[in-house]
Amino acid sequence: MLDMDLIRKDRETVAAALAKRLDPAEVTRALDEIQQLDQARRALISEIDADRQRRKAEARAYAAAKRAGTEPEVAAPEPGRKQLAELEAELDEVQSRLRTRMSELPNLPADDVVAGGKEANRVVRVFGEQPKIEQVRDHVELSRALGLVDHERGVKLGGSGFWMYTGLGARLEWALVNWLIERNIEAGYEFLLPPHLLLDTAGFAAGQFPKFYDDVYHLDRQSAPRGQFLLPTAETAILGAYQDEILDPAKLPLKAFAYTPCYRREAAGSHSDERGTVRGHQFNKVEIFQFTLPEQADAALTAMVAHVEGLVEALGLHHQTSLLAAGDASASMRKTLDIEVWMPSTGKYKEVSSVSWAGDYQARRAAIRYKEPGGKQTRFVHTLNGSALATSRLFPAILEQFQQSDGSVLVPEVLQAKLGTDRLVPPGR
């Protein structure tokens, strides 16, 4: 959520930043309505305060007259003046509408984030070279031939957009998860295993609700009167765990990570670059997260991107890092860099991690603050998150980039001890 004071004091800057993401006319309409509601809110607060002061003065005068033994004067109500209860109800309505409109605004992109969509993304780094493969087989064909993923039984169990890892495929998936857990612990992140069912308040805090409310799986209201949903990413859980807290600035940056399955209502792609495990309704991901002081955020973002790049490099995968344009980044984030692995079968790069800085946007929604040493005022922390990593896309990248002409697939060196082999071969060979 944006700072209302910033909108009041520097509307032009806010409007210019939002125009990187939204149509300028839409920005104007939204800010006009927000400022009108803000003015109405402040006018009602002034009127309510004045009415309460008047009532207190009348009560004191009444008590003084009683003590003096005189007949207290009772002022006649002013014609047309609203009762206090009416004013308070009107204020509640205005504040609710203002909060809704404010929650619908996206974050302000950072200064170095350009306007536009995917076409405006900029590659900032490349690791390695595209592997030279004479006859490329895609990961779906390879996973079937090697007995790693049972797509048909996955659909039988969960419907379209689900799969089931089997045999060495299940072991490879679990080896990836365990290796990522170990590497994130080594990097100084605290390991968390959060609930997979979260309250709606966590979705709002992360900036996913209300805009993306329909993109997740919700429990019905009879089963969950407070509103619950299956988490779409551990980012939502880690942030939500610290809602309404004041953090010790001496302990910032606070670094945490979690492993969870992720559950999303997104179309399982039929396009060649979204087949198999690339896109589905349930997938495994390890997520890193930092709460920082504002002045620590820039260094934290650089370190998180370098850490994730190091993970993909350690697996030996050719990849690139791209700075996303405003229209291609999450609405909650000021700045996002995607780490994208090369998929030989499609000739395209596929994102395996988005590392993002939200500024104080999420913290403001979640009321996560810190108190400066010696001060009484609290300030909002900054939050950053990143996938480290999404295994459902690492898995196909490993199969495709390390495929051999004899039908086998080489296992990344860092995973060989966990799998007990340096090569995946078709069953029975």
Side-chain angles (χ1 to χ4, degrees):
M1 190 174 293
L2 301 183
D3 183 355
M4 189 66 233
D5 281 341
L6 181 61
I7 295 175
R8 292 189 197 114
K9 296 173 182 176
D10 198 356
R11 171 173 166 150
E12 288 187 7
T13 298
V14 172
L18 289 176
K20 290 182 178 182
R21 284 195 155 120
L22 304 172
D23 179 82
E26 182 184 349
V27 172
T28 298
R29 286 193 298 272
L31 294 181
D32 282 350
E33 183 178 4
I34 283 170
Q35 290 196 292
Q36 289 166 7
L37 288 168
D38 180 51
Q39 291 167 3
R41 182 186 69 86
R42 289 193 288 172
L44 283 165
I45 289 173
S46 295
E47 191 173 354
I48 288 170
D49 286 345
D51 191 84
R52 286 173 176 162
Q53 290 301 319
R54 179 187 59 77
R55 288 168 182 265
K56 287 180 181 178
E58 288 177 352
R60 286 194 294 269
Y62 186 92
K66 278 289 189 182
R67 287 194 299 272
T70 60
E71 187 66 26
E73 293 185 10
V74 179
E78 296 174 16
R81 189 176 72 194
K82 293 182 180 179
Q83 296 296 310
L84 182 60
E86 292 179 85
L87 292 171
E88 290 174 335
E90 190 174 342
L91 177 61
D92 288 344
E93 170 64 19
V94 168
Q95 289 186 144
S96 175
R97 287 170 56 199
L98 177 59
R99 181 173 176 79
T100 297
R101 295 295 177 267
M102 286 290 288
S103 72
E104 292 170 346
L105 286 179
N107 204 345
L108 304 182
D111 292 341
D112 60 342
V113 174
V114 300
K118 288 182 182 295
E119 76 288 345
N121 292 348
R122 179 169 59 89
V123 176
V124 295
R125 274 182 300 281
V126 177
F127 173 80
E129 297 180 354
Q130 296 175 9
K132 294 179 173 57
I133 304 168
E134 289 185 6
Q135 290 185 317
V136 176
R137 304 168 73 188
D138 71 30
H139 58 280
V140 177
E141 181 184 353
L142 287 164
S143 65
R144 285 192 172 119
L146 296 169
L148 306 178
V149 181
D150 193 328
H151 297 281
E152 290 71 26
R153 288 193 173 97
V155 172
K156 183 192 295 185
L157 285 170
S160 177
F162 292 89
W163 58 84
M164 182 169 67
Y165 295 106
T166 58
L168 270 176
R171 289 173 59 190
L172 173 58
E173 174 74 2
W174 210 239
L176 279 167
V177 169
N178 280 317
W179 179 73
L180 292 169
I181 288 171
E182 292 165 4
R183 291 297 300 270
N184 289 323
I185 291 173
E186 290 170 6
Y189 289 84
E190 182 183 12
F191 187 19
L192 307 176
L193 285 174
H196 296 181
L197 275 174
L198 306 180
L199 293 172
D200 283 359
T201 50
F204 177 86
Q208 289 151 352
F209 299 167
K211 184 173 183 180
F212 300 108
Y213 186 85
D214 293 331
D215 290 353
V216 302
Y217 292 98
H218 296 272
L219 270 65
D220 64 86
R221 286 289 174 174
Q222 186 173 354
S223 302
R226 295 177 64 188
Q228 282 180 296
F229 63 101
L230 282 167
L231 85 175
T233 168
E235 169 201 341
T236 315
I238 299 173
L239 176 77
Y242 289 87
Q243 288 177 87
D244 303 312
E245 293 191 21
I246 298 176
L247 306 181
D248 182 352
K251 295 180 179 178
L252 297 178
L254 191 161
K255 301 166 65 176
F257 82 97
Y259 156 70
T260 66
C262 302
Y263 309 92
R264 298 185 184 179
R265 285 183 180 275
E266 56 185 354
S270 58
H271 299 293
S272 59
D273 61 336
E274 294 190 343
R275 296 175 65 229
T277 66
V278 170
R279 185 178 296 276
H281 301 305
Q282 177 186 328
F283 58 93
N284 292 320
K285 184 156 67 76
V286 180
E287 184 83 6
I288 56 175
F289 201 99
Q290 287 200 36
F291 300 88
T292 74
L293 298 173
E295 59 269 24
Q296 296 171 333
D298 188 58
L301 179 63
T302 299
M304 290 172 74
V305 171
H307 172 59
V308 173
E309 289 175 330
L311 295 175
V312 186
E313 290 172 16
L315 290 167
L317 292 169
H318 167 57
H319 65 277
Q320 66 182 23
T321 301
S322 298
L323 175 61
L324 300 193
D328 196 33
S330 166
S332 300
M333 300 302 154
R334 281 179 58 74
K335 186 174 182 177
T336 295
L337 291 103
D338 272 5
I339 291 81
E340 304 158 333
V341 293
W342 174 249
M343 301 295 291
S345 68
T346 62
K348 297 179 181 179
Y349 290 89
K350 213 58 173 166
E351 172 252 317
V352 292
S353 174
S354 287
V355 182
S356 301
W357 165 46
D360 65 4
Y361 184 89
Q362 291 179 320
R364 192 176 294 278
R365 298 168 78 100
I368 304 173
R369 296 148 291 158
Y370 70 95
K371 187 177 291 185
E372 293 181 323
K376 295 182 179 180
Q377 295 292 326
T378 59
R379 296 181 63 193
F380 293 105
V381 300
H382 281 209
T383 59
L384 304 97
N385 71 87
S387 308
L389 293 154
T391 58
S392 61
R393 292 188 174 176
L394 286 179
F395 192 106
I398 289 171
L399 296 186
E400 292 200 9
Q401 289 199 31
F402 299 148
Q403 61 182 293
Q404 304 298 300
S405 58
D406 64 356
S408 65
V409 171
L410 299 180
V411 174
E413 185 176 350
V414 294
L415 301 178
Q416 290 176 8
K418 295 183 183 298
L419 285 176
T421 183
D422 62 355
R423 187 183 296 259
L424 303 172
V425 299
R429 180 183 293 184

